[in-house]
Amino acid sequence: MSKISIITSFAGLWLTSYLSDTNQLIFGFLLIFTFGILHGANDLVLIHQIENNKKTTFVKIIVSYLVIVIGSVVLFTVLPLFALIMFVMVSGYHFGEQHWASLIVAKNSIRKIFELIYGLFIIAVLLYMNATEASKIIFEITGTLLPLTFFTLSTVVLSILLLISTYVMAREQSDFKKHIVEQLFYLVVLMVVFKSSSLIWGFTIYFIFWHSIPSLHDQIIFLYGKYSLAHFKKYVKTAFGYWILSIIGIAVLYVLAKDLIIFDALFFSFLASITFPHALVILRMFKK
């Protein structure tokens, strides 16, 4: 999957030269609305599969899922800064877990810490490369204006933590060492992409081609035993109803806030609300 991610990243980088910032925004949202939302649309089916040996009704699963989503929305309304910090932390671990799931065999606390730091580093670099744009969106969400030096400092701190955790992982887990050079190259590619793109377009390239599509691949294997075109079609068919509901929710947000900057903020808040339960589901899937 990494080779596909590399190719699509360079394709996205090539498109950057031909797309205006507005078109990058439109095309980025289009990809997020399709593959991005789709990769989390089958969460209820995944939960049902995980709970197949327990006396848990599908209604209870739906209610539990909705409680988390609604609770996330309320949290963003009441304590937006705290909610955003939680979103970044959960997303960081979720990104790191997905990326390293098929690369590392051992499952322990050291690995979890490394995956968290790795995912947070990706987010920090993305925000640092687009600090002005990121600061504006964070202000729209939380009302807190972060200085540009905050993004620089965060990236430096996480770079140091990533180096330390990489050293510990290499010392503790032999299967990790063979991936270091390759993964370093991937990080350099992502840095180039983030530097050359707008915030939304850079986020789209990573979120779709480095996270969502590999996640779809893993979910299909978990649900159906192996990946195939037929199983992909089956996945899409099962997820279609939940995907439509998500799109309707985003459409309602757009109607309520047609101002593009405000919509950016609301969109990330909405994305955070559905990320919390999705990250928990995928965590349980990998444990299973």
Side-chain angles (χ1 to χ4, degrees):
M1 293 302 293
S2 295
K3 292 181 180 179
I4 296 176
S5 300
I6 287 288
I7 294 171
T8 50
S9 293
F10 279 116
L13 193 59
W14 173 74
L15 280 175
T16 303
S17 303
Y18 295 91
L19 296 176
S20 64
D21 288 345
T22 300
N23 288 333
Q24 286 182 34
L25 191 67
I26 293 171
F27 194 34
F29 278 135
L30 184 62
L31 286 173
I32 292 171
F33 292 159
T34 51
F35 287 101
I37 300 298
L38 180 65
H39 99 280
N42 247 352
D43 284 351
L44 297 178
V45 178
L46 288 170
I47 296 173
H48 192 64
Q49 179 81 354
I50 293 169
E51 300 283 347
N52 60 356
N53 294 322
K54 298 181 180 180
K55 295 180 180 179
T56 305
T57 65
F58 202 62
V59 174
K60 288 182 179 180
I61 293 174
I62 293 175
V63 171
S64 299
Y65 193 90
L66 288 176
V67 166
I68 297 175
V69 172
I70 294 172
S72 302
V73 173
V74 172
L75 192 61
F76 263 97
T77 303
V78 179
L79 298 170
L81 182 59
F82 175 76
L84 184 62
I85 293 172
M86 289 294 295
F87 170 54
V88 171
M89 295 295 291
V90 170
S91 297
Y93 179 77
H94 182 54
F95 290 161
E97 179 188 44
Q98 176 63 50
H99 185 84
W100 290 94
S102 60
L103 300 177
I104 308 175
V105 177
K107 296 181 179 180
N108 50 42
S109 56
I110 296 176
R111 169 179 172 165
K112 291 180 180 179
I113 293 172
F114 170 77
E115 289 172 339
L116 172 63
I117 293 172
Y118 179 88
L120 289 176
F121 176 77
I122 295 291
I123 296 173
V125 172
L126 173 62
L127 298 180
Y128 167 70
M129 295 296 186
N130 301 274
T132 302
E133 193 177 354
S135 182
K136 290 179 180 178
I137 292 178
I138 291 173
F139 178 75
E140 292 292 341
I141 295 174
T142 67
T144 301
L145 183 62
L146 296 177
L148 300 185
T149 52
F150 171 83
F151 300 101
T152 303
L153 182 61
S154 298
T155 304
V156 171
V157 170
L158 284 165
S159 298
I160 295 171
L161 292 177
L162 183 61
L163 286 173
I164 295 172
S165 59
T166 298
Y167 170 76
V168 174
M169 286 288 292
R171 188 183 64 181
E172 297 291 331
Q173 301 186 22
S174 57
D175 62 324
F176 177 80
K177 295 178 182 179
K178 59 184 179 182
H179 299 295
I180 294 177
V181 175
E182 179 185 37
Q183 294 301 318
L184 179 60
F185 170 71
Y186 294 158
L187 285 177
V188 172
V189 170
L190 285 174
M191 289 179 188
V192 173
V193 170
F194 293 161
K195 179 64 176 178
S196 305
S197 309
S198 64
L199 177 61
I200 296 295
W201 187 236
F203 172 75
T204 298
I205 291 175
Y206 177 77
F207 185 60
I208 300 301
F209 302 119
W210 290 86
H211 176 71
S212 299
I213 292 178
S215 179
L216 280 170
H217 180 269
D218 291 342
Q219 291 178 49
I220 289 170
I221 292 175
F222 178 76
L223 290 171
Y224 309 119
K226 66 176 183 178
Y227 181 86
S228 67
L229 181 59
H231 287 154
F232 174 75
K233 291 179 179 178
K234 187 176 181 180
Y235 180 97
V236 173
K237 183 179 179 180
T238 305
F240 186 75
Y242 306 120
W243 176 75
I244 287 295
L245 288 175
S246 298
I247 296 301
I248 291 173
I250 295 172
V252 171
L253 281 180
Y254 181 75
V255 171
L256 294 176
K258 293 183 179 180
D259 186 308
L260 198 57
I261 297 177
I262 295 176
F263 178 69
D264 287 351
L266 288 175
F267 173 75
F268 277 108
S269 299
F270 177 83
L271 198 63
S273 298
I274 60 177
T275 293
F276 288 133
H278 172 68
L280 291 173
V281 171
I282 298 303
L283 176 64
R284 296 188 62 184
M285 184 190 80
F286 282 128
K287 285 184 177 180
K288 187 77 172 181

